[in-house]
Amino acid sequence: MADRRSSAFFTATTLPLVIAVTGIGTTTGVLDAGTAAAMVGAAMLTVFLFPVIALIGRGAPRTGPDEAGSGPDPEVLAPAHE
């Protein structure tokens, strides 16, 4: 369930759509410039906040039970200059 929620937040940023709709709305006179600017500003916040919320919602990666003798690979942990 957490993965679905995270995916929803990652895909919910709709800035290009909001820009297109507000552009059409201001051109046709349906929206005034202040309302359009507020809508674009709110959409910009979703671009910044939704990915952060999605990553927080995923939590720590799941790990399986440790097996006897399994641990970090010393080759991976060794410094590159040795």
Side-chain angles (χ1 to χ4, degrees):
M1 184 65 171
D3 287 339
R4 282 185 180 176
R5 203 171 320 141
S6 294
S7 295
F9 274 110
F10 277 124
T11 59
T13 57
T14 59
L15 182 59
L17 177 64
V18 172
I19 290 172
V21 169
T22 56
I24 293 169
T26 55
T27 301
T28 60
V30 176
L31 285 175
D32 60 38
T35 303
M39 291 175 70
V40 170
M44 287 173 54
L45 283 176
T46 67
V47 170
F48 295 123
L49 295 178
F50 281 6
V52 173
I53 293 170
L55 289 175
I56 290 170
R58 289 191 71 175
R62 296 183 203 143
T63 57
D66 288 341
E67 296 178 15
S70 69
D73 186 3
E75 293 292 322
V76 174
L77 298 177
H81 64 275
E82 288 186 344

